[in-house]
Amino acid sequence: MKNISFPRTALISASALLAGIILLCSCSQITKNTGRNTSGGEKQNGAETAAVTTTEVTTSAATTATDDTQPYVDGDNTQIYIPDSTPYKKITLDGVKDHHFIADDFCYIESEKCFIFLDKDIDLPGDFVVNVEAIITEIENQLGISSCPDSYNYCPLSDNSSYYGGINPWKGWHTGNKIPIFLMVDRKSEGLISCALSDETIFVIYELFSEDFWNSVPDYKNNPWRRMDAVDYGTIAHELTHTITGRNCDLTDILTEGIAEYTSRTVIDALADNYPSIGEYNAQRFLYDFGVPESVNADNAERIFIEDYNQLSHVERGAQYDYGRCLFNYLNNEYGADYFSRLNSYINGNGLHYSYGNYDEALVTDYATALKELFGDDIFTKFGDWCVKNNQLQYY
Ligand SMILES: [Zn+2]
């Protein structure tokens, strides 16, 4: 186990929880699923600094550009549109883990299920895209849902110029039904964190900052513990789960963070043996429990689910992650691998649209009813008993 800073983890988690509430979907179009803005960013587990090699990988000019006089076509929300005038290169990685591509300008990668937009000073290992694609596919397989459902209304890229010092390199772009993934550098060490919407995922991952950049910022250089010597694929899996589930259905806060936290663990477990870099991360990751303010048992499990920890301040809502993770762990164990696809179908079939971060007791009660109808009226009492028996959610 590498050195982990508890205060750092707690601080990042707290700010992530807060930021998760603030972020809003930038899509200006009417969407089919309202209030679907899942978000949350989360832990950057600090560890010892990495030794980074700097072997250049390949670059090539953009090849999928279309005429930039052709506007985004209304009515076809899966059409890819790349302005012909873009000065930014399309790059490809060679898949070799020990090769690195360091971005000296904005650039992008197009792969099967996503577009990856690189900020300047991002350092990508050659197997990064292979790993991200594997994570997306594993999330789809485990949850029984698609990362690009037909029911979702795909929007042009949102304006993330606040990350880029006021400019928007990707103005007018549309990635079709592929997930836009933004790899950002926190240039002034302002505490920017990874987060996700149903439209896109934004990663601020220290392990992907180039070595030269890292050493040029005293706050980073003097605190090497802030990054591991493995890419944080756990956060990547967590945030991508938000985007993928958010494209399929709306969930309460507990369910939103719970499925992301649970799936990030099971996905990493499933891929670690076959993807060396994910395996390296798996060997170093620190599985953090935030703690809950009240031990969960058969008598209070349903009440706590319905309260959704809304009475806690944002910085204390790590309890949502823990309760939700344990609940999905229980559902998967006790009710079969289709636990999430069944819930997804029920939510859409019954028109449930919860808005993350906006507590609504009547609506969250409908989600409790969904769980009862799907898994039995005694789902919460049985879950509470399971928590006590397995010593889960028993800590303050
Ligand atoms: Zn989250």
Side-chain angles (χ1 to χ4, degrees):
M1 181 65 68
K2 298 296 180 181
N3 298 328
I4 302 296
S5 166
F6 177 85
R8 167 67 181 172
T9 305
L11 177 64
I12 289 295
S13 300
S15 61
L17 288 162
L18 183 60
I21 304 303
I22 294 170
L23 279 167
L24 296 172
C25 177
S26 62
C27 180
S28 60
Q29 301 177 9
I30 302 298
T31 54
K32 293 175 182 174
N33 296 327
T34 58
R36 62 154 82 92
N37 310 322
T38 60
S39 57
E42 334 290 330
K43 306 176 289 293
Q44 289 230 40
N45 291 335
E48 293 175 353
T49 189
V52 179
T53 58
T54 55
T55 306
E56 181 98 359
V57 190
T58 59
T59 64
S60 65
T63 56
T64 57
T66 55
D67 181 357
D68 66 356
T69 62
Q70 178 185 348
Y72 165 65
V73 179
D74 287 327
D76 180 2
N77 63 28
T78 63
Q79 179 176 325
I80 293 173
Y81 177 70
I82 300 174
D84 214 12
S85 60
T86 185
Y88 307 120
K89 290 182 177 177
K90 179 179 183 177
I91 67 164
T92 56
L93 303 180
D94 65 4
V96 179
K97 170 176 174 292
D98 295 329
H99 290 179
H100 284 250
F101 173 78
I102 299 175
D104 57 8
D105 197 359
F106 303 122
C107 54
Y108 71 100
I109 296 169
E110 180 182 359
S111 60
E112 182 185 351
K113 295 180 179 176
C114 59
F115 272 79
I116 299 174
F117 297 95
L118 284 70
D119 197 352
K120 297 173 184 175
D121 298 311
I122 287 290
D123 175 343
L124 283 190
D127 62 348
F128 184 78
V129 175
V130 171
N131 296 330
V132 168
E133 284 284 336
I135 287 170
I136 292 172
T137 299
E138 187 64 26
I139 293 169
E140 291 177 309
N141 290 341
Q142 290 194 9
L143 300 187
I145 56 176
S146 169
S147 64
C148 52
D150 292 340
S151 58
Y152 189 70
N153 191 15
Y154 300 91
C155 303
L157 293 189
S158 56
D159 181 353
N160 287 318
S161 55
S162 60
Y163 284 88
Y164 295 121
I167 69 164
N168 180 9
W170 318 111
K171 185 177 182 181
W173 287 50
H174 195 300
T175 61
N177 61 9
K178 298 186 180 188
I179 298 173
I181 295 174
F182 294 88
L183 303 180
M184 304 297 197
V185 168
D186 183 357
R187 298 199 174 276
K188 299 177 182 176
S189 188
E190 296 174 295
L192 301 179
I193 45 85
S194 299
C195 59
L197 305 172
S198 48
D199 286 334
E200 66 188 27
T201 311
I202 296 175
F203 292 123
V204 184
I205 294 180
Y206 294 152
E207 294 83 17
L208 299 180
F209 293 2
S210 75
E211 196 72 359
D212 285 347
F213 170 73
W214 183 272
N215 289 324
S216 73
V217 179
D219 199 27
Y220 295 137
K221 183 179 181 181
N222 298 332
N223 295 284
W225 55 267
R226 292 175 70 173
R227 60 180 182 176
M228 296 183 286
D229 53 8
V231 175
D232 185 358
Y233 285 107
T235 290
I236 289 172
H238 180 111
E239 303 301 344
L240 285 170
T241 301
H242 278 321
T243 296
I244 294 169
T245 55
R247 289 175 165 204
N248 283 272
C249 64
D250 298 324
L251 299 167
T252 67
D253 288 13
I254 279 178
L255 295 175
T256 295
E257 295 302 348
I259 196 59
E261 195 64 13
Y262 179 59
T263 306
S264 73
R265 297 186 182 192
T266 56
V267 162
I268 295 301
D269 287 342
L271 299 177
D273 286 346
N274 293 323
Y275 294 84
S277 294
I278 295 176
E280 286 180 7
Y281 164 74
N282 190 40
Q284 297 184 30
R285 70 173 163 168
F286 178 69
L287 298 177
Y288 182 76
D289 284 335
F290 294 89
V292 289
E294 177 182 9
S295 295
V296 176
N297 56 51
D299 294 331
N300 64 20
E302 181 172 1
R303 172 179 59 77
I304 292 172
F305 178 86
I306 291 173
E307 289 176 351
D308 209 23
Y309 294 113
N310 81 90
Q311 73 278 22
L312 299 182
S313 69
H314 291 317
V315 295
E316 295 175 308
R317 290 189 189 171
Q320 294 172 334
Y321 292 58
D322 285 354
Y323 185 109
R325 172 177 54 79
C326 289
L327 179 60
F328 282 114
N329 186 357
Y330 172 74
L331 294 177
N332 191 6
N333 287 355
E334 301 296 324
Y335 298 94
D338 63 350
Y339 68 99
F340 191 82
S341 60
R342 290 175 65 194
L343 179 60
N344 178 59
S345 296
Y346 183 102
I347 289 169
N348 288 311
N350 288 275
L352 301 184
H353 296 295
Y354 196 85
S355 177
Y356 182 94
N358 295 297
Y359 182 65
D360 181 328
E361 182 177 349
L363 191 48
V364 76
T365 301
D366 288 343
Y367 283 78
T369 300
L371 293 174
K372 289 180 177 179
E373 293 193 3
L374 287 168
F375 305 111
D377 282 341
D378 56 355
I379 176 68
F380 288 105
T381 55
K382 290 169 76 173
F383 172 59
D385 285 338
W386 178 87
C387 289
V388 173
K389 179 181 177 184
N390 293 282
N391 195 31
Q392 297 290 318
L393 305 177
Q394 302 302 304
Y395 38 83
Y396 295 88

